[in-house]
Amino acid sequence: MKMCLKHFATCILLFITCLPFHSFGQDGTIDPTFNPGTGANAMLHTTVVQPNGKIIITGDFITYNGASKKGLARLESNGNPDASFDPGTGISGVNATILVTALQSDGKILIGGNFTGFNGVARNGIARLNTDGSLDTSFNPGRGVAGVSVPAVRAIVIQPDKKIIIGGDFATCGDYDRRSIARLDTSGIVDIGFSTGASFPIGTVGLEDGVNTIGIQNDGKLIVGGRFNFVGLVARNRIARLETNGTLDPGFNTVTDRTDYISTVAVQADQKILVGGSLFVNDLGGGSFSDINLLRVNENGSIDPGFYMGDVEADPQRLWTILLQSDGKFIISGVIQYYNHWYAGGIGRVNADGTWDGNFNAGFGVGFSPASITQAALQPDDGKVIVVGNFTSFDGVPRNYVARLKGDPCGGSNTKTWTGALSTSWHNVGNWTCGLPNSGSTVVVNAGAGNMPEVTQSVSVKKLTLKNGAVVTVKAGVDLTVTGN
């Protein structure tokens, strides 16, 4: 890839030579094994990949590949519609749209947006579906979200205890005053133990003052971003951190005084926070403000000086998605024609220090505005990337609003499989796929490996699967700790 400073006269005269060149099979190139046929008949808004490889999509469409699918569908891993997923008539309401989806650990699907019903049953802004697409009536949020002219749920995160945080544009949730953020229990009822304070809500009544994005830290605290100016009586411009009970955490404060909005946040493994949106920040602490679209902040909210801030060039500028990889890199998508002068075509990958990763190359991508990628999702097993949005081709290949790109199978997953290629040492990187296991890893030990692993130093992993006949030997005096299942 060549760096294209698009204001240079040579770039104008030789525009084609400034577009990215890629080789077949490179990360970011289109995956031909995913073929949606005629695809959706209108733009898509969200996508999420299920553990079995099937893909949920939502949007403004009424058909997918010729089949009747109103606004919500599930795809097989090859892009064909899944006939076993039937949401009936789907969402209803004036300009009804699903704006966010989230998967529960039991496979049920949470949807949020600006709808008033699902398959003929009243559901205001939030609903839960069974794995077959039908409405889960055991989840009943009552009156749902309301209290503003166009109430909507824009963000959903699921806590480890399975309670559900929702954010968006609303003044009430269920029977309670809850401005822009609320917590629900697993049955959909508002958790009265979580509140920013009914008298001093986030923002003011109105569509443009709500919460767009929520991230959850290891300690359960919440990073919220949007268009608000205050949390309670305390000024917090567009970003804040809340305690586990919903009150403001005064120990987090980011200098974003002139920021227009924050569209996405992502909490890294080291608990630093990536922030995307339309940002004006005091980057040097000396009164010098920068107009940027991506930055990283430390745990206390201070700007991380070791991260190269990102500038999106497009009209309009939109950075909608940040996808974290386990190797520290991350994928960004949105209305992104150029990123720090590198051509992106709606999507790209950024190194851990904020520099552009030229090894991920989407070619022409979705092209120029108004074409966009509204959301992207990583497939956990192979690192491939599902993209949805407002486009009808990707890098010159016809794809109506959905495509799959090749990705890094190690970067997108923290699954480590034992090969025993070099020795019996658990601690030798050459004996594993995708690097040494860490505390967040899912570890798989297959019985067919010639060497079985021996642990000689204390280690911790999230999950451990021993296939039939596999053995792990732990030296006396050291521990192999499994923190998950």
Side-chain angles (χ1 to χ4, degrees), residues 43-68:
M43 76 174 290
L44 304 185
H45 296 294
T46 76
T47 185
V48 64
V49 181
Q50 296 181 313
N52 62 2
K54 293 187 178 184
I55 302 152
I56 304 292
I57 58 171
T58 75
D60 299 332
F61 58 95
I62 57 175
T63 64
Y64 181 88
N65 204 10
S68 178

Side-chain angles (χ1 to χ4, degrees), residues 67-331:
S68 178
K69 301 286 182 183
K70 185 184 176 183
L72 174 65
R74 184 167 67 195
L75 312 182
E76 303 284 359
S77 60
N78 62 2
N80 290 333
D82 178 5
S84 68
F85 185 85
D86 184 9
T89 57
I91 60 171
S92 56
V94 179
N95 298 319
T97 306
I98 297 172
L99 299 172
V100 59
T101 52
L103 283 180
Q104 295 189 165
S105 59
D106 60 2
K108 292 184 178 182
I109 305 152
L110 289 160
I111 60 172
N114 59 335
F115 50 86
T116 57
F118 187 90
N119 204 17
V121 180
R123 287 292 185 271
N124 289 316
I126 179 76
R128 188 169 68 195
L129 312 183
N130 295 309
T131 55
D132 62 359
S134 62
L135 181 68
D136 177 9
T137 56
S138 69
F139 180 88
N140 188 349
R143 298 176 183 176
V145 297
V148 298
S149 58
V150 185
V153 171
R154 297 181 177 274
I156 300 174
V157 295
I158 302 170
Q159 296 184 161
D161 63 1
K162 299 182 181 180
K163 289 185 178 181
I164 300 154
I165 306 289
I166 63 171
D169 308 316
F170 51 88
T172 62
C173 184
D175 295 326
Y176 298 90
D177 291 329
R178 290 292 186 273
R179 183 83 61 168
S180 302
I181 192 166
R183 186 165 67 195
L184 312 179
D185 66 19
T186 56
S187 65
I189 297 173
V190 172
D191 179 2
I192 60 174
F194 179 94
S195 176
T196 58
S199 300
F200 307 111
I202 295 179
T204 58
V205 173
L207 179 66
E208 306 230 327
D209 299 307
V211 169
N212 295 331
T213 180
I214 305 170
I216 187 166
Q217 296 186 165
N218 286 345
D219 59 5
K221 293 183 180 182
L222 302 173
I223 303 296
V224 295
R227 294 181 180 272
F228 53 86
N229 296 306
F230 288 88
V231 178
L233 294 177
V234 182
R236 285 294 185 271
N237 196 54
R238 312 320 195 206
I239 188 169
R241 185 166 65 199
L242 305 183
E243 302 283 359
T244 56
N245 64 358
T247 58
L248 178 68
D249 178 2
F252 180 92
N253 192 10
T254 294
V255 182
T256 54
D257 293 339
R258 297 166 56 201
T259 288
D260 184 17
Y261 64 89
I262 287 171
S263 54
T264 183
V265 297
V267 182
Q268 297 183 155
D270 62 2
Q271 299 306 286
K272 291 184 177 182
I273 302 141
L274 294 166
V275 181
S278 179
L279 311 167
F280 289 81
V281 298
N282 185 344
D283 56 334
L284 300 176
S288 175
F289 282 84
S290 292
D291 176 6
I292 59 169
N293 300 95
L294 178 68
L295 58 80
R296 186 167 66 197
V297 299
N298 298 308
E299 282 193 80
N300 63 358
S302 62
I303 294 172
D304 181 1
F307 183 83
Y308 194 79
M309 296 181 186
D311 178 34
V312 169
E313 296 177 61
D315 186 15
Q317 301 170 338
R318 295 288 186 270
L319 197 158
W320 279 321
T321 304
I322 300 173
L323 294 178
L324 298 177
Q325 295 189 166
S326 60
D327 58 1
K329 296 180 180 182
F330 55 93
I331 292 170

Side-chain angles (χ1 to χ4, degrees), residues 326-360:
S326 60
D327 58 1
K329 296 180 180 182
F330 55 93
I331 292 170
I332 59 172
S333 64
V335 187
I336 307 172
Q337 290 174 11
Y338 295 84
Y339 181 83
N340 287 345
H341 304 298
W342 290 95
Y343 182 80
I347 189 167
R349 191 165 62 198
V350 181
N351 293 313
D353 63 356
T355 57
W356 187 250
D357 179 8
N359 292 318
F360 185 98

Side-chain angles (χ1 to χ4, degrees), residues 361-382:
N361 191 340
F364 194 67
V366 299
F368 294 105
S369 178
S372 65
I373 295 175
T374 53
Q375 193 170 44
L378 282 173
Q379 294 191 167
D381 58 338
D382 57 12

